[in-house]
Amino acid sequence: MQNVQVAEIKNLMKSYGSTDFETTVLKGIDLSIYQDDFIAIMGPSGSGKTTLLNILSTIDKPTQGKVILDGKDITRIPNKELSKLRRDKIGFIFQDYNLLDTMTLEDNIVLPLSLNGGSPKQILQKARSLAELFGLTEHLKKYPYQLSGGQKQRGAVCRALITDPKIIFADEPTGALDSKASKDLMRCLKSVNESGKATILMVTHDPLCASYAKDVYLLSDGSMKCKISQGTDRKEFYNRIIEVQSSMGGDFL
């Protein structure tokens, strides 16, 4: 089967500050992302992983280089077109869920499609199908304050998936969860990825979380240092991630 490219980064650089006090956070990053990829980006604190995610997800802009998403260089397109691309082609999962407290979980999930003016019946059917997949059917009429952290985050994933985005960007998705909720969430993400429902790029400091991905890239000092690919055994993959982290040193939180 032919690989379909979803996104591509070419010679990506990002600097902050003035010429005399310039700090370069990303130093010539190259990365290709294909349909059904599940990529984890790891690196020590200050390595540039969050900056990379922000640029890829259109939240920030690079100082130099290209970011191709859905065949378009998002560093060059007008803001109106960029907003449409962000709405239609990108799904976001944040550490703090970003659910609206005044809306039920079901209403939170359907919100992106409701704003696009779709058929209410079809939107609800899709939301309920996703909720069933993520074990949330009995919680759809509850409000966020009535849900556990794991339930809220799985609801946030449903909301990210409901528009059928080209790619989902996840920023420390298990950062606010306990170990059981983290494992439950990662199993769900792995399942939707393997079923062809999601291409995922995730930033994480947690090697256990990263071991659910297909490929792990390690950043250090603004540069890609290595790529680790999964084998047949997730525990062995986890151990290799730990070994590479240890060899690189530094604080990976």
Side-chain angles (χ1 to χ4, degrees), residues 76-247:
R76 297 180 179 273
I77 62 177
N79 286 336
K80 187 175 181 180
E81 189 176 350
L82 185 63
S83 296
K84 186 177 187 303
L85 185 145
R86 187 186 296 122
R87 184 192 69 200
D88 297 340
K89 306 295 183 180
I90 297 174
F92 296 95
I93 305 170
F94 302 99
Q95 181 175 327
D96 56 358
Y97 326 126
N98 281 8
L99 297 178
L100 297 176
D101 293 332
T102 57
M103 300 174 69
T104 65
L105 180 61
E106 184 174 66
D107 288 341
N108 269 284
I109 291 170
V110 303
L111 183 60
L113 279 186
S114 299
L115 293 173
N116 287 351
S119 160
K121 184 178 180 180
Q122 290 179 348
I123 290 171
L124 284 174
Q125 285 177 343
K126 193 167 186 180
R128 288 165 185 170
S129 176
L130 284 168
E132 184 178 1
L133 186 64
F134 282 84
L136 293 170
T137 301
E138 65 188 65
H139 304 293
L140 282 172
K141 298 304 180 183
K142 294 180 181 178
Y143 289 86
Y145 74 88
Q146 298 173 304
L147 303 171
S148 69
Q151 289 162 351
K152 285 188 278 192
Q153 191 61 299
R154 280 180 276 137
V157 174
C158 292
R159 181 185 58 191
L161 286 166
I162 200 165
T163 59
D164 296 319
K166 287 281 186 180
I167 188 166
I168 287 178
F169 295 110
D171 186 7
E172 299 283 5
T174 63
L177 305 180
D178 60 33
S179 59
K180 182 184 183 304
S182 295
K183 289 176 183 176
D184 288 344
L185 177 69
M186 293 313 303
R187 289 190 193 105
C188 287
L189 287 177
K190 186 177 178 67
S191 175
V192 296
N193 171 256
E194 290 179 342
S195 65
K197 291 183 173 70
T199 299
I200 304 169
L201 186 137
M202 169 180 69
V203 162
T204 182
H205 71 273
D206 184 356
L208 184 62
C209 180
S211 70
Y212 285 86
K214 292 176 180 175
D215 297 295
V216 176
Y217 288 84
L218 281 93
L219 273 175
S220 183
D221 296 324
S223 300
M224 287 287 193
K225 298 301 182 183
C226 68
K227 172 186 176 182
I228 315 167
S229 295
Q230 68 173 1
T232 55
D233 182 76
R234 194 177 61 78
K235 185 176 180 181
E236 183 271 337
F237 188 30
Y238 168 78
N239 289 333
R240 279 193 287 133
I241 295 169
I242 293 289
E243 287 173 7
V244 174
Q245 279 187 326
S246 299
S247 69

Side-chain angles (χ1 to χ4, degrees), residues 5 7-13 26 28-33 41 52 55-56 64-68 201 224:
Q5 191 175 75
E8 185 179 15
I9 310 166
K10 296 181 179 179
N11 192 33
L12 194 70
M13 301 185 73
L26 298 176
I29 302 290
D30 294 310
L31 178 65
S32 294
I33 304 169
I41 304 289
L52 176 61
I55 291 172
L56 264 171
Q64 183 178 314
K66 291 185 177 182
V67 181
I68 311 297
L201 186 137
M224 287 287 193

